Amino acid sequence: MARILSGIQPSGTLHIANYFAMMKPMIEYQSDNELFCFIVNYHAMTSNQEGDRLRNYTVEAAIDFLALGLDPERAYFWVQSDVPEVTELTWILSCHTSLGLLERSHSYKDKVSHGIVPNTGLFIYPVLMAADILLYQAEIVPVGKDQKQHVEITRDIALHFNSLYGDVFVIPEPRISDDVAVIPGIDGQKMSKTYGNTIDIFEDEQSLKKKVMKIVTDSTPVDEPKDPEKCNLFALYRLFADEKKIERMRERYLKGGIGYSDVKKELFGLIWEYFAPFRKKREDLSKDRAEVIRILKKGADKTRMVGSKTLARVKKATGLSYDSY
Ligand code: TRP
């Protein structure tokens, strides 16, 4: 029974790469761990400055999680900004974080090299992420490879802080899942909102069909053998099919005689069925946003009890409260 924490940015409609890389494993963790799962709207604000859009994506992401089986009674499930203690801790941590540590952040440097004009929030993004993790004393932080360095920065900050003030923070471990290979988008690049190549989890039937039919493949003729390991379509197929189907499809590829459009038709059916059990729940929740917001507020209250304890210790240790540690 470990305390596991991870967050997802409400920076767009959630897609199947979000699902397999983050949401599905998190939902599975809730059964035998203490799960902290949240929607990181403060992080999303570094790149989204339209109020209605941020609000909508935040609520929609919550609806997706709940529809897909996240249980707010079992897990801690909340929206980042509903626990404002995290911003207080961010300031305190930022006074204990050297500029150089942040200047070495790959993710920051990548964004700048792609022409993004950074705001200050983007630069201190790793400190906010450290506050997310340390405020709740998380032990394990499941993240994608691109976020590994941020967890390492969190560890550096926490170790430095503890060396000054005593054992205030639990030192978290990153958990990088490499069994989920890169999930390709419909154009064959890594699936990402930035590339506009996503298949959303709750795509409607027509648009799902259209997107699946658009998946880029090579131009091997129908009769010729095809290499499943080099095929985007097969990479997506294997996420949704069971072992037996995957094996059969692999053989059909290797033997030749199967056309990509047949594979696409089958894949469409599999995706549609896979999410079918969750669609009804999603519809019900969408019709009752007040209920969703009630769940989120309750989740924030529960989470806040944990966070405020850590913050009280931090304030004692650092001299910000009148009591000493
Ligand atoms: N930065 C992470 C991402 O973009 C999201 C995130 C914010 C996060 N705070 C976190 C992930 C804390 C794990 C733990 O994917």
Side-chain angles (χ1 to χ4, degrees):
M1 174 104 169
R3 185 171 286 186
I4 299 185
L5 173 145
S6 194
I8 198 161
Q9 290 200 41
S11 46
T13 307
L14 297 176
H15 50 73
I16 61 177
N18 295 134
Y19 177 72
F20 285 103
M22 194 273 184
M23 304 169 85
K24 181 170 181 270
M26 287 293 274
I27 292 165
E28 284 165 4
Y29 285 135
Q30 75 188 349
S31 38
D32 39 20
N33 293 282
E34 212 181 357
L35 181 70
F36 284 67
C37 178
F38 62 132
I39 296 164
V40 296
N41 57 345
Y42 277 140
H43 279 101
M45 188 177 247
T46 60
S47 61
N48 180 352
Q49 281 111 17
E50 272 177 55
D52 285 338
R53 209 157 55 112
L54 184 58
R55 184 176 10 258
N56 257 328
Y57 284 148
T58 302
V59 176
E60 293 297 314
I63 292 177
D64 285 349
F65 259 113
L66 294 167
L68 291 164
L70 191 118
D71 177 356
E73 296 298 324
R74 264 201 217 172
Y76 291 80
F77 179 59
W78 77 105
V79 172
Q80 187 183 31
S81 67
D82 284 343
V83 182
E85 281 80 358
V86 76
T87 57
E88 231 179 311
L89 183 59
T90 301
W91 175 258
I92 298 170
L93 295 180
S94 72
C95 296
H96 296 81
T97 305
S98 73
L99 212 60
L101 186 64
L102 300 184
E103 280 166 351
R104 288 192 290 278
S105 157
H106 303 312
S107 150
Y108 177 76
K109 287 192 289 189
D110 273 6
K111 286 182 180 150
V112 173
S113 75
H114 281 90
I116 288 176
V117 179
N119 52 47
T120 311
L122 187 67
F123 185 66
I124 65 161
Y125 177 120
V127 185
L128 175 59
M129 183 157 159
D132 281 334
I133 297 169
L134 301 176
L135 187 63
Y136 307 112
Q137 309 280 12
E139 295 164 293
I140 295 171
V141 183
V143 283
K145 283 199 193 82
D146 61 321
Q147 295 291 320
K148 182 166 181 245
Q149 193 194 22
H150 287 153
V151 183
E152 283 159 1
I153 293 173
T154 302
R155 289 170 59 88
D156 286 346
I157 295 173
L159 287 166
H160 175 59
F161 192 97
N162 284 358
S163 76
L164 294 174
Y165 300 108
D167 281 341
V168 177
F169 293 128
V170 169
I171 309 300
E173 297 280 343
R175 179 178 289 172
I176 315 296
S177 54
D178 25 38
D179 45 312
V180 183
V182 172
I183 298 169
I186 58 177
D187 62 355
Q189 295 186 81
K190 178 182 154 108
M191 186 179 291
S192 159
K193 190 190 58 91
T194 331
Y195 301 141
N197 62 1
T198 60
I199 297 175
D200 298 339
I201 300 169
F202 292 108
E203 202 84 58
D204 70 52
E205 197 168 357
Q206 277 318 310
S207 99
L208 178 62
K209 201 172 276 171
K210 247 201 215 147
K211 285 191 175 178
V212 171
M213 289 303 166
K214 269 208 280 194
I215 294 171
V216 173
T217 54
D218 61 22
S219 49
T220 316
V222 174
D223 293 338
E224 278 177 36
K226 303 172 181 62
D227 184 352
E229 301 313 320
K230 290 202 183 114
C231 180
N232 305 318
L233 191 54
F234 188 79
L236 289 167
Y237 182 88
R238 66 189 307 164
L239 293 170
F240 293 95
D242 60 28
E243 284 300 321
K244 249 191 176 157
K245 284 205 169 98
I246 297 172
E247 246 347 277
R248 218 177 312 134
M249 185 58 85
R250 190 194 308 280
E251 283 161 17
R252 288 170 75 193
Y253 261 74
L254 294 172
K255 221 171 85 210
I258 186 172
Y260 289 127
S261 68
D262 294 333
V263 185
K264 288 178 179 178
K265 277 182 203 138
E266 206 180 309
L267 175 61
F268 161 75
L270 286 176
I271 300 179
W272 187 251
E273 266 168 48
Y274 188 100
F275 292 114
F278 310 116
R279 222 167 273 132
K280 171 82 179 75
K281 176 100 193 270
R282 192 179 201 292
E283 257 167 47
D284 294 345
L285 288 164
S286 302
K287 282 188 209 130
D288 194 356
R289 277 170 99 89
E291 167 68 3
V292 176
I293 292 164
R294 200 189 55 77
I295 294 172
L296 290 173
K297 289 204 167 142
K298 202 170 152 205
D301 289 344
K302 177 167 134 184
T303 308
R304 211 166 173 182
M305 306 235 271
V306 180
S308 55
K309 274 195 200 131
T310 310
L311 187 64
R313 288 174 67 181
V314 168
K315 289 175 106 172
K316 279 184 189 169
T318 52
L320 293 170
S321 80
Y322 300 106
D323 301 323
S324 55
Y325 182 53

